[in-house]
């Protein structure tokens, strides 16, 4: 790689020039390195964590596990990965997934071109050279022809935004940035603020291990039992008999997973009895089946209300105290329009003697005090406060890179009214910069291993196309991007998703523009669309050939 930056750590020397800079060593960044090596380009990566794993490195709170079945939440790009790795449970725990990321990194020697513990703090596109100039918090400067943001959508935890945190005499932690050394809760009085997926996963375990747990709930969420356990050997054998094809089929489904309990009809087209039986079947199966068992739960208010009522009944049945059960019922947004949670014993946890719920709609938090949490009803003393308060999703991690595109415009300014991206792959005015799972792509609405592999394949194929054809610049066409944003928004408007104040809508971060952040039409439709765009000669993208671009 030639000239290098002055050594700033025990990592490899950081080159001054490289073909591609990859930011992030999660599943997207690791795969990007593998693919870029295959087409013979030099790539170098920066990662803020000390090691690989991305979201699975940071989110090591008790109970963290994947909501997608392990057999599906796996890479498919190399046959050896499919045969060598065996998952121990239907839904893998965070430690096991992190082990998997490490195994892949070792298997393909992917760490050697990374500097860890390093954040990209600025990246500026230099028009004359068609190069990005990338700067890190360790003082490195690297020029590259292509910049690949594999930063993950949920990698910037929201700062605890409650007044008085600095006065607290106990300890506080965040689920999205959980300490690596064990957090001892034995004998402790613990508070959890937040009841999204992270809160709902850690609450049952913290309840078991602590002296007392108080859950501070602002908005109750819908949660369905994961039904975790050993993988059914017969099912595993069937999947493994044709594992590569299984992954291929997953890519051509709406959610990137096998459609298992799926009637394909409206919930309102069947009798109440039949509807209940199907909901029951989906509930007993686990996964997100309850959301997809009928085809209009996300769009038809009546079907949606039927699903919500079904879950309400389940909550009432699980929680012994009827008044407490009522507090746990989600009623302020349509079923599934905030990310559905999967849990293990969440609602039953509230039957424990050492667990209390504080309903913040009745008694809001006023401030954190030296002793604990002060609500309008009084002060609660704690040894430990757990913030499970979510992330500045999708745009937050991209803003953190300090990107400036053509004419020196910052990404923050370009997206002041909300993110605009062509296909979630490129942003007009930011040439030669690719985003994995960027805004307006399916991303978290589908199995992320599928969306990651699809995006990385597309990006690296596109780069190979440029290399082969002497093209030095690619940019998303502004009009194509506007049309795509319009299409994505109008699709979302046809659903109930836009009715919720969710992180999907950017509504969890004060001041964030209210824009639905994902393509809701399904991974299958998205993949077909993107393939068609390539077959049309990359319609909606503008290329500049070497002669015109580099003189
Ligand atoms: O965050 P969230 P998360 N005072 O934003 C509350 C993925 N994930 O980390 O709804 C009091 O969903 C907030 O209340 P409200 C998954 O995609 C995946 O749990 O804003 N409360 C809400 O209850 C998921 O959707 C997996 O009223 C405050 C909670 O905190 C995404 O990550 C596991 C508050 C935040 O919920 C994010 O989940 C975990 C305040 N100031 C996560 N601020 C797996 O696949 C926020 N809240 C396993």
């Amino acid at each position: 790689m030639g000239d290098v930056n002055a050594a700033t750590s025990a990592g490899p020397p950081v080159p001054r020039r490289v073909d591609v800079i990859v930011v992030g060593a999660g599943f997207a960044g690791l795969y990007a390195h593998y693919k870029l090596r295959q087409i013979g380009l030099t790539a170098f990566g920066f990662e803020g964590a000390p090691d690989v794993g991305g979201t699975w490195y940071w989110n090591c709170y008790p109970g963290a596990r994947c909501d997608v079945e392990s057999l599906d939440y796996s890479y498919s790009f190399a046959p050896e990965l499919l045969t060598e790795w065996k998952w121990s449970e239907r839904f893998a725990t965070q430690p096991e997934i992190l082990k998997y990321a490490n195994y892949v990194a070792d298997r393909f020697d992917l760490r050697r071109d990374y500097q860890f513990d390093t954040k990209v703090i600025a990246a500026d596109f230099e028009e004359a050279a068609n190069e990005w100039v990338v700067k890190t918090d360790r003082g490195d400067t690297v020029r590259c022809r292509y910049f690949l943001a594999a930063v993950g959508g949920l990698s910037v935890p929201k700062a605890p935004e409650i007044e008085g945190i600095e006065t607290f005499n106990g300890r506080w932690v965040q689920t999205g940035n959980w300490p690596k050394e064990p957090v001892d809760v034995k004998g402790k009085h613990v508070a959890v603020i937040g009841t999204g997926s992270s809160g709902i996963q850690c609450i049952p375990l913290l309840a078991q291990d602590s002296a007392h747990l108080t859950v501070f709930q602002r908005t109750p969420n819908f949660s369905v039992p994961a039904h975790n356990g050993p993988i059914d050997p017969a099912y595993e054998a069937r999947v493994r008999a044709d594992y590569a094809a299984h992954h291929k089929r997953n890519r051509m489904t709406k959610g990137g997973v096998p459609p298992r309990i799926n009637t394909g009809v409206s919930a309102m087209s069947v009798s109440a009895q039949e509807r209940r039986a199907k909901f029951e079947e989906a509930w007993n199966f686990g996964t997100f089946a309850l959301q997809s068992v009928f085809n209009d739960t996300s769009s038809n208010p009546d079907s949606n209300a039927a699903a919500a009522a079904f879950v309400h009944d389940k909550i009432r049945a699980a929680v012994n105290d009827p008044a407490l059960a009522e507090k746990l019922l989600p009623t302020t947004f349509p079923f599934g329009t905030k990310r559905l949670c999967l849990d293990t014993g969440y609602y039953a946890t509230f039957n424990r003697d050492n667990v209390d719920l504080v309903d913040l709609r009745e008694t809001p938090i006023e401030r954190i005090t030296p002793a604990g949490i002060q609500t309008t009803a009084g002060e609660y003393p704690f040894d430990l406060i757990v913030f499970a308060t979510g992330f500045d999703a999708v745009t937050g991690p991209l803003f953190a890179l300090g990107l400036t595109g053509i004419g020196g415009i910052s990404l923050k300014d370009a997206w002041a009214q909300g993110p605009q991206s062509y296909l979630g792959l490129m942003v007009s005015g930011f040439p030669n910069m690719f985003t994995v799972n960027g805004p307006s792509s399916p991303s978290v609405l589908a199995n992320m291993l599928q969306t990651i592999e699809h995006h990385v394949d597309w990006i690296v194929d596109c780069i190979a196309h440029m290399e082969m054809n002497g093209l030095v610049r690619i940019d998303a066409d502004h009009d194509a991007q506007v049309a795509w944003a319009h299409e994505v928004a109008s699709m979302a408007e046809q659903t109930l998703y836009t009715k919720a104040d969710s992180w999907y809508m950017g509504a969890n971060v004060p001041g964030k523009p209210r824009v639905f952040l994902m393509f809701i039409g399904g991974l299958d439709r998205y993949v077909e669309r993107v393939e068609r765009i390539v077959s049309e000669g990359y319609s909606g993208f503008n290329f500049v050939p070497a002669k015109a671009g580099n003189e």
Side-chain angles (χ1 to χ4, degrees), residues 68 153-154 255 288 339 393-394 437-438 441-448 451 503-504 517-518:
V68 173
L154 295 161
F288 296 96
R339 160 67 146 68
V394 182
N437 286 326
S441 72
S443 69
V444 293
L445 296 184
N447 172 1
M448 293 288 278
T451 58
W503 68 259
Y504 290 162
L517 290 167
M518 275 72 69

mmCIF file with all atom_site columns, all heavy atoms in Angstrom, residues 68 153-154 255 288 339 393-394 437-438 441-448 451 503-504 517-518:
data_model
loop_
_atom_site.group_PDB
_atom_site.id
_atom_site.type_symbol
_atom_site.label_atom_id
_atom_site.label_alt_id
_atom_site.label_comp_id
_atom_site.label_asym_id
_atom_site.label_entity_id
_atom_site.label_seq_id
_atom_site.pdbx_PDB_ins_code
_atom_site.Cartn_x
_atom_site.Cartn_y
_atom_site.Cartn_z
_atom_site.occupancy
_atom_site.B_iso_or_equiv
_atom_site.pdbx_formal_charge
_atom_site.auth_seq_id
_atom_site.auth_comp_id
_atom_site.auth_asym_id
_atom_site.auth_atom_id
_atom_site.pdbx_PDB_model_num
ATOM 1   N N   . VAL A 1 68  ? -33.925 -12.884 14.739 1.00 0.00 ? 68  VAL A N   1
ATOM 2   C CA  . VAL A 1 68  ? -34.060 -13.661 13.502 1.00 0.00 ? 68  VAL A CA  1
ATOM 3   C C   . VAL A 1 68  ? -33.443 -15.024 13.779 1.00 0.00 ? 68  VAL A C   1
ATOM 4   O O   . VAL A 1 68  ? -32.424 -15.120 14.468 1.00 0.00 ? 68  VAL A O   1
ATOM 5   C CB  . VAL A 1 68  ? -33.333 -12.957 12.325 1.00 0.00 ? 68  VAL A CB  1
ATOM 6   C CG1 . VAL A 1 68  ? -33.317 -13.820 11.079 1.00 0.00 ? 68  VAL A CG1 1
ATOM 7   C CG2 . VAL A 1 68  ? -33.981 -11.603 12.040 1.00 0.00 ? 68  VAL A CG2 1
ATOM 8   N N   . GLY A 1 153 ? -27.122 0.775   11.217 1.00 0.00 ? 153 GLY A N   1
ATOM 9   C CA  . GLY A 1 153 ? -28.190 1.759   11.414 1.00 0.00 ? 153 GLY A CA  1
ATOM 10  C C   . GLY A 1 153 ? -28.435 2.081   12.871 1.00 0.00 ? 153 GLY A C   1
ATOM 11  O O   . GLY A 1 153 ? -29.011 3.114   13.210 1.00 0.00 ? 153 GLY A O   1
ATOM 12  N N   . LEU A 1 154 ? -27.994 1.171   13.751 1.00 0.00 ? 154 LEU A N   1
ATOM 13  C CA  . LEU A 1 154 ? -28.304 1.334   15.176 1.00 0.00 ? 154 LEU A CA  1
ATOM 14  C C   . LEU A 1 154 ? -26.997 1.302   15.963 1.00 0.00 ? 154 LEU A C   1
ATOM 15  O O   . LEU A 1 154 ? -26.771 0.429   16.796 1.00 0.00 ? 154 LEU A O   1
ATOM 16  C CB  . LEU A 1 154 ? -29.250 0.215   15.631 1.00 0.00 ? 154 LEU A CB  1
ATOM 17  C CG  . LEU A 1 154 ? -30.644 0.255   14.980 1.00 0.00 ? 154 LEU A CG  1
ATOM 18  C CD1 . LEU A 1 154 ? -31.353 -1.090  15.083 1.00 0.00 ? 154 LEU A CD1 1
ATOM 19  C CD2 . LEU A 1 154 ? -31.496 1.347   15.594 1.00 0.00 ? 154 LEU A CD2 1
ATOM 20  N N   . GLY A 1 255 ? -39.310 -10.486 3.923  1.00 0.00 ? 255 GLY A N   1
ATOM 21  C CA  . GLY A 1 255 ? -38.533 -10.202 5.130  1.00 0.00 ? 255 GLY A CA  1
ATOM 22  C C   . GLY A 1 255 ? -37.162 -10.856 5.163  1.00 0.00 ? 255 GLY A C   1
ATOM 23  O O   . GLY A 1 255 ? -36.477 -10.794 6.191  1.00 0.00 ? 255 GLY A O   1
ATOM 24  N N   . PHE A 1 288 ? -41.570 -13.179 13.801 1.00 0.00 ? 288 PHE A N   1
ATOM 25  C CA  . PHE A 1 288 ? -42.487 -12.068 13.512 1.00 0.00 ? 288 PHE A CA  1
ATOM 26  C C   . PHE A 1 288 ? -43.752 -12.572 12.818 1.00 0.00 ? 288 PHE A C   1
ATOM 27  O O   . PHE A 1 288 ? -44.428 -11.825 12.113 1.00 0.00 ? 288 PHE A O   1
ATOM 28  C CB  . PHE A 1 288 ? -41.787 -11.013 12.652 1.00 0.00 ? 288 PHE A CB  1
ATOM 29  C CG  . PHE A 1 288 ? -40.625 -10.370 13.366 1.00 0.00 ? 288 PHE A CG  1
ATOM 30  C CD1 . PHE A 1 288 ? -39.324 -10.829 13.175 1.00 0.00 ? 288 PHE A CD1 1
ATOM 31  C CD2 . PHE A 1 288 ? -40.829 -9.330  14.260 1.00 0.00 ? 288 PHE A CD2 1
ATOM 32  C CE1 . PHE A 1 288 ? -38.267 -10.262 13.855 1.00 0.00 ? 288 PHE A CE1 1
ATOM 33  C CE2 . PHE A 1 288 ? -39.778 -8.750  14.951 1.00 0.00 ? 288 PHE A CE2 1
ATOM 34  C CZ  . PHE A 1 288 ? -38.489 -9.214  14.749 1.00 0.00 ? 288 PHE A CZ  1
ATOM 35  N N   . ARG A 1 339 ? -41.192 -1.249  16.166 1.00 0.00 ? 339 ARG A N   1
ATOM 36  C CA  . ARG A 1 339 ? -40.605 -2.565  15.953 1.00 0.00 ? 339 ARG A CA  1
ATOM 37  C C   . ARG A 1 339 ? -41.172 -3.556  16.978 1.00 0.00 ? 339 ARG A C   1
ATOM 38  O O   . ARG A 1 339 ? -41.075 -3.343  18.190 1.00 0.00 ? 339 ARG A O   1
ATOM 39  C CB  . ARG A 1 339 ? -39.090 -2.423  16.029 1.00 0.00 ? 339 ARG A CB  1
ATOM 40  C CG  . ARG A 1 339 ? -38.254 -3.657  16.300 1.00 0.00 ? 339 ARG A CG  1
ATOM 41  C CD  . ARG A 1 339 ? -38.272 -4.676  15.182 1.00 0.00 ? 339 ARG A CD  1
ATOM 42  N NE  . ARG A 1 339 ? -36.994 -5.359  15.074 1.00 0.00 ? 339 ARG A NE  1
ATOM 43  C CZ  . ARG A 1 339 ? -36.495 -6.198  15.980 1.00 0.00 ? 339 ARG A CZ  1
ATOM 44  N NH1 . ARG A 1 339 ? -37.147 -6.461  17.084 1.00 0.00 ? 339 ARG A NH1 1
ATOM 45  N NH2 . ARG A 1 339 ? -35.326 -6.762  15.754 1.00 0.00 ? 339 ARG A NH2 1
ATOM 46  N N   . ALA A 1 393 ? -31.124 6.527   15.023 1.00 0.00 ? 393 ALA A N   1
ATOM 47  C CA  . ALA A 1 393 ? -31.010 5.462   14.013 1.00 0.00 ? 393 ALA A CA  1
ATOM 48  C C   . ALA A 1 393 ? -30.743 5.986   12.598 1.00 0.00 ? 393 ALA A C   1
ATOM 49  O O   . ALA A 1 393 ? -31.200 7.058   12.223 1.00 0.00 ? 393 ALA A O   1
ATOM 50  C CB  . ALA A 1 393 ? -32.310 4.645   14.014 1.00 0.00 ? 393 ALA A CB  1
ATOM 51  N N   . VAL A 1 394 ? -30.032 5.217   11.861 1.00 0.00 ? 394 VAL A N   1
ATOM 52  C CA  . VAL A 1 394 ? -29.792 5.320   10.417 1.00 0.00 ? 394 VAL A CA  1
ATOM 53  C C   . VAL A 1 394 ? -29.015 6.585   10.033 1.00 0.00 ? 394 VAL A C   1
ATOM 54  O O   . VAL A 1 394 ? -27.939 6.490   9.444  1.00 0.00 ? 394 VAL A O   1
ATOM 55  C CB  . VAL A 1 394 ? -31.119 5.217   9.603  1.00 0.00 ? 394 VAL A CB  1
ATOM 56  C CG1 . VAL A 1 394 ? -30.856 5.271   8.105  1.00 0.00 ? 394 VAL A CG1 1
ATOM 57  C CG2 . VAL A 1 394 ? -31.853 3.919   9.965  1.00 0.00 ? 394 VAL A CG2 1
ATOM 58  N N   . ASN A 1 437 ? -27.196 -0.525  3.678  1.00 0.00 ? 437 ASN A N   1
ATOM 59  C CA  . ASN A 1 437 ? -28.455 -0.351  4.423  1.00 0.00 ? 437 ASN A CA  1
ATOM 60  C C   . ASN A 1 437 ? -28.738 1.109   4.731  1.00 0.00 ? 437 ASN A C   1
ATOM 61  O O   . ASN A 1 437 ? -29.180 1.452   5.838  1.00 0.00 ? 437 ASN A O   1
ATOM 62  C CB  . ASN A 1 437 ? -28.452 -1.165  5.720  1.00 0.00 ? 437 ASN A CB  1
ATOM 63  C CG  . ASN A 1 437 ? -28.640 -2.634  5.447  1.00 0.00 ? 437 ASN A CG  1
ATOM 64  O OD1 . ASN A 1 437 ? -29.352 -3.002  4.520  1.00 0.00 ? 437 ASN A OD1 1
ATOM 65  N ND2 . ASN A 1 437 ? -27.991 -3.475  6.226  1.00 0.00 ? 437 ASN A ND2 1
ATOM 66  N N   . GLY A 1 438 ? -28.472 1.980   3.753  1.00 0.00 ? 438 GLY A N   1
ATOM 67  C CA  . GLY A 1 438 ? -28.768 3.399   3.944  1.00 0.00 ? 438 GLY A CA  1
ATOM 68  C C   . GLY A 1 438 ? -30.270 3.650   3.971  1.00 0.00 ? 438 GLY A C   1
ATOM 69  O O   . GLY A 1 438 ? -31.083 2.745   3.729  1.00 0.00 ? 438 GLY A O   1
ATOM 70  N N   . SER A 1 441 ? -33.762 2.024   2.015  1.00 0.00 ? 441 SER A N   1
ATOM 71  C CA  . SER A 1 441 ? -33.594 0.619   1.593  1.00 0.00 ? 441 SER A CA  1
ATOM 72  C C   . SER A 1 441 ? -34.315 -0.236  2.642  1.00 0.00 ? 441 SER A C   1
ATOM 73  O O   . SER A 1 441 ? -34.673 0.263   3.705  1.00 0.00 ? 441 SER A O   1
ATOM 74  C CB  . SER A 1 441 ? -32.107 0.257   1.495  1.00 0.00 ? 441 SER A CB  1
ATOM 75  O OG  . SER A 1 441 ? -31.528 0.165   2.770  1.00 0.00 ? 441 SER A OG  1
ATOM 76  N N   . PRO A 1 442 ? -34.520 -1.532  2.375  1.00 0.00 ? 442 PRO A N   1
ATOM 77  C CA  . PRO A 1 442 ? -35.300 -2.343  3.336  1.00 0.00 ? 442 PRO A CA  1
ATOM 78  C C   . PRO A 1 442 ? -34.652 -2.443  4.721  1.00 0.00 ? 442 PRO A C   1
ATOM 79  O O   . PRO A 1 442 ? -35.337 -2.478  5.732  1.00 0.00 ? 442 PRO A O   1
ATOM 80  C CB  . PRO A 1 442 ? -35.367 -3.725  2.679  1.00 0.00 ? 442 PRO A CB  1
ATOM 81  C CG  . PRO A 1 442 ? -35.132 -3.470  1.227  1.00 0.00 ? 442 PRO A CG  1
ATOM 82  C CD  . PRO A 1 442 ? -34.209 -2.285  1.155  1.00 0.00 ? 442 PRO A CD  1
ATOM 83  N N   . SER A 1 443 ? -33.363 -2.501  4.785  1.00 0.00 ? 443 SER A N   1
ATOM 84  C CA  . SER A 1 443 ? -32.560 -2.597  6.022  1.00 0.00 ? 443 SER A CA  1
ATOM 85  C C   . SER A 1 443 ? -33.271 -3.371  7.137  1.00 0.00 ? 443 SER A C   1
ATOM 86  O O   . SER A 1 443 ? -33.588 -4.541  6.966  1.00 0.00 ? 443 SER A O   1
ATOM 87  C CB  . SER A 1 443 ? -32.074 -1.221  6.475  1.00 0.00 ? 443 SER A CB  1
ATOM 88  O OG  . SER A 1 443 ? -33.101 -0.411  6.941  1.00 0.00 ? 443 SER A OG  1
ATOM 89  N N   . VAL A 1 444 ? -33.582 -2.712  8.241  1.00 0.00 ? 444 VAL A N   1
ATOM 90  C CA  . VAL A 1 444 ? -34.080 -3.443  9.415  1.00 0.00 ? 444 VAL A CA  1
ATOM 91  C C   . VAL A 1 444 ? -35.455 -4.067  9.227  1.00 0.00 ? 444 VAL A C   1
ATOM 92  O O   . VAL A 1 444 ? -35.896 -4.840  10.081 1.00 0.00 ? 444 VAL A O   1
ATOM 93  C CB  . VAL A 1 444 ? -34.155 -2.545  10.667 1.00 0.00 ? 444 VAL A CB  1
ATOM 94  C CG1 . VAL A 1 444 ? -32.792 -2.131  11.132 1.00 0.00 ? 444 VAL A CG1 1
ATOM 95  C CG2 . VAL A 1 444 ? -35.041 -1.337  10.402 1.00 0.00 ? 444 VAL A CG2 1
ATOM 96  N N   . LEU A 1 445 ? -36.128 -3.756  8.139  1.00 0.00 ? 445 LEU A N   1
ATOM 97  C CA  . LEU A 1 445 ? -37.428 -4.397  7.934  1.00 0.00 ? 445 LEU A CA  1
ATOM 98  C C   . LEU A 1 445 ? -37.257 -5.810  7.385  1.00 0.00 ? 445 LEU A C   1
ATOM 99  O O   . LEU A 1 445 ? -38.229 -6.531  7.177  1.00 0.00 ? 445 LEU A O   1
ATOM 100 C CB  . LEU A 1 445 ? -38.308 -3.565  6.994  1.00 0.00 ? 445 LEU A CB  1
ATOM 101 C CG  . LEU A 1 445 ? -38.700 -2.178  7.510  1.00 0.00 ? 445 LEU A CG  1
ATOM 102 C CD1 . LEU A 1 445 ? -39.651 -1.490  6.557  1.00 0.00 ? 445 LEU A CD1 1
ATOM 103 C CD2 . LEU A 1 445 ? -39.330 -2.253  8.902  1.00 0.00 ? 445 LEU A CD2 1
ATOM 104 N N   . ALA A 1 446 ? -36.031 -6.194  7.088  1.00 0.00 ? 446 ALA A N   1
ATOM 105 C CA  . ALA A 1 446 ? -35.752 -7.563  6.624  1.00 0.00 ? 446 ALA A CA  1
ATOM 106 C C   . ALA A 1 446 ? -34.563 -8.106  7.425  1.00 0.00 ? 446 ALA A C   1
ATOM 107 O O   . ALA A 1 446 ? -33.922 -7.366  8.178  1.00 0.00 ? 446 ALA A O   1
ATOM 108 C CB  . ALA A 1 446 ? -35.454 -7.569  5.134  1.00 0.00 ? 446 ALA A CB  1
ATOM 109 N N   . ASN A 1 447 ? -34.295 -9.375  7.245  1.00 0.00 ? 447 ASN A N   1
ATOM 110 C CA  . ASN A 1 447 ? -33.143 -10.026 7.868  1.00 0.00 ? 447 ASN A CA  1
ATOM 111 C C   . ASN A 1 447 ? -31.863 -9.294  7.448  1.00 0.00 ? 447 ASN A C   1
ATOM 112 O O   . ASN A 1 447 ? -31.511 -9.259  6.273  1.00 0.00 ? 447 ASN A O   1
ATOM 113 C CB  . ASN A 1 447 ? -33.148 -11.483 7.384  1.00 0.00 ? 447 ASN A CB  1
ATOM 114 C CG  . ASN A 1 447 ? -31.922 -12.264 7.762  1.00 0.00 ? 447 ASN A CG  1
ATOM 115 O OD1 . ASN A 1 447 ? -31.006 -11.771 8.419  1.00 0.00 ? 447 ASN A OD1 1
ATOM 116 N ND2 . ASN A 1 447 ? -31.908 -13.523 7.338  1.00 0.00 ? 447 ASN A ND2 1
ATOM 117 N N   . MET A 1 448 ? -31.169 -8.725  8.443  1.00 0.00 ? 448 MET A N   1
ATOM 118 C CA  . MET A 1 448 ? -30.033 -7.845  8.126  1.00 0.00 ? 448 MET A CA  1
ATOM 119 C C   . MET A 1 448 ? -28.871 -8.564  7.442  1.00 0.00 ? 448 MET A C   1
ATOM 120 O O   . MET A 1 448 ? -28.101 -7.945  6.724  1.00 0.00 ? 448 MET A O   1
ATOM 121 C CB  . MET A 1 448 ? -29.520 -7.170  9.394  1.00 0.00 ? 448 MET A CB  1
ATOM 122 C CG  . MET A 1 448 ? -30.492 -6.187  9.982  1.00 0.00 ? 448 MET A CG  1
ATOM 123 S SD  . MET A 1 448 ? -30.627 -4.679  8.989  1.00 0.00 ? 448 MET A SD  1
ATOM 124 C CE  . MET A 1 448 ? -29.222 -3.757  9.556  1.00 0.00 ? 448 MET A CE  1
ATOM 125 N N   . THR A 1 451 ? -29.861 -8.316  3.851  1.00 0.00 ? 451 THR A N   1
ATOM 126 C CA  . THR A 1 451 ? -29.772 -6.968  3.270  1.00 0.00 ? 451 THR A CA  1
ATOM 127 C C   . THR A 1 451 ? -28.308 -6.544  3.160  1.00 0.00 ? 451 THR A C   1
ATOM 128 O O   . THR A 1 451 ? -27.917 -5.886  2.201  1.00 0.00 ? 451 THR A O   1
ATOM 129 C CB  . THR A 1 451 ? -30.581 -5.944  4.098  1.00 0.00 ? 451 THR A CB  1
ATOM 130 O OG1 . THR A 1 451 ? -30.105 -5.926  5.436  1.00 0.00 ? 451 THR A OG1 1
ATOM 131 C CG2 . THR A 1 451 ? -32.066 -6.268  4.107  1.00 0.00 ? 451 THR A CG2 1
ATOM 132 N N   . TRP A 1 503 ? -38.867 5.051   16.174 1.00 0.00 ? 503 TRP A N   1
ATOM 133 C CA  . TRP A 1 503 ? -37.561 5.413   15.622 1.00 0.00 ? 503 TRP A CA  1
ATOM 134 C C   . TRP A 1 503 ? -37.544 5.200   14.113 1.00 0.00 ? 503 TRP A C   1
ATOM 135 O O   . TRP A 1 503 ? -36.752 5.815   13.410 1.00 0.00 ? 503 TRP A O   1
ATOM 136 C CB  . TRP A 1 503 ? -36.424 4.678   16.339 1.00 0.00 ? 503 TRP A CB  1
ATOM 137 C CG  . TRP A 1 503 ? -36.305 3.189   16.154 1.00 0.00 ? 503 TRP A CG  1
ATOM 138 C CD1 . TRP A 1 503 ? -36.698 2.205   17.008 1.00 0.00 ? 503 TRP A CD1 1
ATOM 139 C CD2 . TRP A 1 503 ? -35.697 2.524   15.039 1.00 0.00 ? 503 TRP A CD2 1
ATOM 140 N NE1 . TRP A 1 503 ? -36.390 0.969   16.489 1.00 0.00 ? 503 TRP A NE1 1
ATOM 141 C CE2 . TRP A 1 503 ? -35.772 1.133   15.283 1.00 0.00 ? 503 TRP A CE2 1
ATOM 142 C CE3 . TRP A 1 503 ? -35.096 2.960   13.855 1.00 0.00 ? 503 TRP A CE3 1
ATOM 143 C CZ2 . TRP A 1 503 ? -35.287 0.175   14.401 1.00 0.00 ? 503 TRP A CZ2 1
ATOM 144 C CZ3 . TRP A 1 503 ? -34.601 2.013   12.968 1.00 0.00 ? 503 TRP A CZ3 1
ATOM 145 C CH2 . TRP A 1 503 ? -34.698 0.646   13.246 1.00 0.00 ? 503 TRP A CH2 1
ATOM 146 N N   . TYR A 1 504 ? -38.422 4.330   13.592 1.00 0.00 ? 504 TYR A N   1
ATOM 147 C CA  . TYR A 1 504 ? -38.552 4.177   12.132 1.00 0.00 ? 504 TYR A CA  1
ATOM 148 C C   . TYR A 1 504 ? -38.875 5.529   11.480 1.00 0.00 ? 504 TYR A C   1
ATOM 149 O O   . TYR A 1 504 ? -38.537 5.780   10.334 1.00 0.00 ? 504 TYR A O   1
ATOM 150 C CB  . TYR A 1 504 ? -39.731 3.254   11.777 1.00 0.00 ? 504 TYR A CB  1
ATOM 151 C CG  . TYR A 1 504 ? -39.605 1.785   12.081 1.00 0.00 ? 504 TYR A CG  1
ATOM 152 C CD1 . TYR A 1 504 ? -40.747 0.995   12.122 1.00 0.00 ? 504 TYR A CD1 1
ATOM 153 C CD2 . TYR A 1 504 ? -38.388 1.163   12.276 1.00 0.00 ? 504 TYR A CD2 1
ATOM 154 C CE1 . TYR A 1 504 ? -40.684 -0.374  12.376 1.00 0.00 ? 504 TYR A CE1 1
ATOM 155 C CE2 . TYR A 1 504 ? -38.312 -0.199  12.536 1.00 0.00 ? 504 TYR A CE2 1
ATOM 156 C CZ  . TYR A 1 504 ? -39.457 -0.960  12.591 1.00 0.00 ? 504 TYR A CZ  1
ATOM 157 O OH  . TYR A 1 504 ? -39.392 -2.304  12.826 1.00 0.00 ? 504 TYR A OH  1
ATOM 158 N N   . LEU A 1 517 ? -37.878 5.812   7.523  1.00 0.00 ? 517 LEU A N   1
ATOM 159 C CA  . LEU A 1 517 ? -36.477 5.623   7.136  1.00 0.00 ? 517 LEU A CA  1
ATOM 160 C C   . LEU A 1 517 ? -36.221 4.405   6.244  1.00 0.00 ? 517 LEU A C   1
ATOM 161 O O   . LEU A 1 517 ? -35.097 4.187   5.814  1.00 0.00 ? 517 LEU A O   1
ATOM 162 C CB  . LEU A 1 517 ? -35.619 5.506   8.409  1.00 0.00 ? 517 LEU A CB  1
ATOM 163 C CG  . LEU A 1 517 ? -35.473 6.804   9.220  1.00 0.00 ? 517 LEU A CG  1
ATOM 164 C CD1 . LEU A 1 517 ? -34.890 6.528   10.601 1.00 0.00 ? 517 LEU A CD1 1
ATOM 165 C CD2 . LEU A 1 517 ? -34.596 7.798   8.468  1.00 0.00 ? 517 LEU A CD2 1
ATOM 166 N N   . MET A 1 518 ? -37.267 3.605   5.978  1.00 0.00 ? 518 MET A N   1
ATOM 167 C CA  . MET A 1 518 ? -37.016 2.361   5.254  1.00 0.00 ? 518 MET A CA  1
ATOM 168 C C   . MET A 1 518 ? -37.907 2.226   4.014  1.00 0.00 ? 518 MET A C   1
ATOM 169 O O   . MET A 1 518 ? -38.948 2.852   3.924  1.00 0.00 ? 518 MET A O   1
ATOM 170 C CB  . MET A 1 518 ? -37.283 1.155   6.159  1.00 0.00 ? 518 MET A CB  1
ATOM 171 C CG  . MET A 1 518 ? -36.143 0.746   7.039  1.00 0.00 ? 518 MET A CG  1
ATOM 172 S SD  . MET A 1 518 ? -35.805 1.830   8.401  1.00 0.00 ? 518 MET A SD  1
ATOM 173 C CE  . MET A 1 518 ? -37.226 1.553   9.400  1.00 0.00 ? 518 MET A CE  1
#
